[in-house]
Amino acid sequence: MLTVQHLTKRYPNHTAVDEVSFSVREGETLVLLGTSGCGKTTTLKMINRLIEPTAGRVDLNGTDIRRQNVHDLRRTIGYVIQETGLFPHYTIAQNIAVVPQLLGWADQRIRQRTAELLAMLHLPEASLHQYPDQLSGGQRQRVGLARALAADPPVVLMDEPLGALDPVTRASIRREFRHLDALRQKTIVMVTHDVQEAFELGDRVCLMDKGRIQQIGTPKELLLRP
Ligand code: ADP
Ligand code: ADP
């Protein structure tokens, strides 16, 4: 489904991502795990064409993403930005509608989809007309997810999706994540620095350090390895 080959990003004095290769099967969740600055976000942004790689390539369904137009890419890949990245001056409804509007969906279809997402993610209907700062951290996180899932993309990239939450909310949303129908069929690449989160949510975990992959495997494989 998604294949990353020798992906590299060099800055003048620094290599942020160094020859990273992995593939993610349809419906699989791959977690990139590592400390701050190890190149997780840069990797994610190169998959989404938000950052141009210095070398290497990304294939989606067998096609180099550079050959796909950006509209198709936005429809195929949902992106959950760090700290949710919601537009503060947009209501929740407007935030969720961003990609569908970009794709030219009719208003009626957007409303219907928004209602569906609210129900799926257990968000109150009243939140639609509120602004992000009027919601709790956990609710904002769910809106960030709703926005990424709005156009029902088969691939979802998540950058520290639980990062901004307090530990209690974090644990509760983490449990919720695993049981969300909205995420069940998706091909997911998720970034975190939280070991427990990685091992709980990842089908496979990719350990990164200084821009390189150190190990990759299922939680079981990684834990049994000497
Ligand atoms: P992570 O997501 O794992 O915290 P990042 O991918 O954000 O790591 O960053 C990887 C490394 O690349 C860091 O050392 C960061 O400072 C560096 N970096 C990121 N963006 C730039 C940039 N625009 N210019 C120079 N260095 C950058
Ligand atoms: P991250 O999103 O991984 O936490 P930061 O929040 O540290 O990265 O960085 C925010 C922005 O600054 C990003 O656009 C990133 O590319 C850029 N950036 C990060 N590190 C550097 C760096 N050392 N030099 C220049 N730009 C950087």
Side-chain angles (χ1 to χ4, degrees):
M1 176 97 204
L2 176 69
T3 308
V4 168
Q5 293 173 74
H6 307 292
L7 205 57
T8 298
K9 181 66 184 179
R10 285 192 203 96
Y11 291 108
N13 299 311
H14 184 71
T15 302
V17 174
D18 196 1
E19 295 266 345
V20 161
S21 302
F22 56 75
S23 55
V24 194
R25 289 187 298 272
E26 198 173 335
E28 185 183 32
T29 298
L30 179 77
V31 176
L32 306 181
L33 171 67
T35 52
S36 180
C38 74
K40 307 182 297 293
T41 298
T42 307
T43 302
L44 218 54
K45 286 183 175 171
M46 288 193 284
I47 294 173
N48 208 15
R49 276 188 74 179
L50 293 170
I51 292 181
E52 197 65 35
T54 311
R57 61 186 278 178
V58 177
D59 291 284
L60 200 56
N61 292 317
T63 308
D64 191 326
I65 57 165
R66 283 170 297 193
R67 292 165 162 273
Q68 305 184 15
N69 73 48
V70 171
H71 247 69
D72 286 344
L73 214 59
R74 294 292 167 263
R75 184 163 41 215
T76 310
I77 303 181
Y79 189 53
V80 183
I81 307 167
Q82 226 171 43
E83 318 254 321
T84 81
L86 297 174
F87 300 123
H89 55 294
Y90 275 19
T91 63
I92 301 312
Q94 288 168 333
N95 266 288
I96 293 175
V98 168
V99 172
Q101 273 171 354
L102 201 71
L103 298 175
W105 286 22
D107 206 47
Q108 181 57 28
R109 188 177 172 198
I110 296 179
R111 283 170 195 277
Q112 209 170 345
R113 178 61 179 159
T114 303
E116 218 173 87
L117 287 161
L118 286 191
M120 271 190 310
L121 296 171
H122 313 297
L123 283 161
E125 217 165 294
S127 66
L128 278 183
H129 306 290
Q130 293 182 305
Y131 291 86
D133 66 3
Q134 294 175 281
L135 304 186
S136 71
Q139 287 175 326
R140 269 200 298 277
Q141 213 74 49
R142 273 178 280 209
V143 174
L145 195 58
R147 185 175 61 172
L149 295 172
D152 202 17
V155 179
V156 184
L157 309 179
M158 305 199 268
D159 195 347
E160 297 275 4
L162 309 177
L165 302 174
D166 63 90
V168 175
T169 312
R170 196 175 173 120
S172 118
I173 297 213
R174 188 168 70 212
R175 276 192 298 276
E176 216 175 86
F177 258 46
R178 281 187 309 179
H179 302 292
L180 278 178
D181 281 333
L183 286 177
R184 196 156 291 159
Q185 307 298 328
K186 305 291 183 193
T187 302
I188 297 172
V189 182
M190 189 186 114
V191 158
T192 185
H193 63 271
D194 184 314
V195 177
Q196 199 183 350
E197 196 169 297
F199 279 63
E200 193 169 327
L201 295 176
D203 295 314
R204 280 186 305 148
V205 175
C206 181
L207 292 173
M208 286 186 73
D209 186 38
K210 300 191 182 76
R212 290 170 176 257
I213 294 183
Q214 300 299 329
Q215 290 186 45
I216 184 166
T218 63
K220 221 179 198 165
E221 286 167 350
L222 292 177
L223 289 170
L224 290 177
R225 221 166 265 176

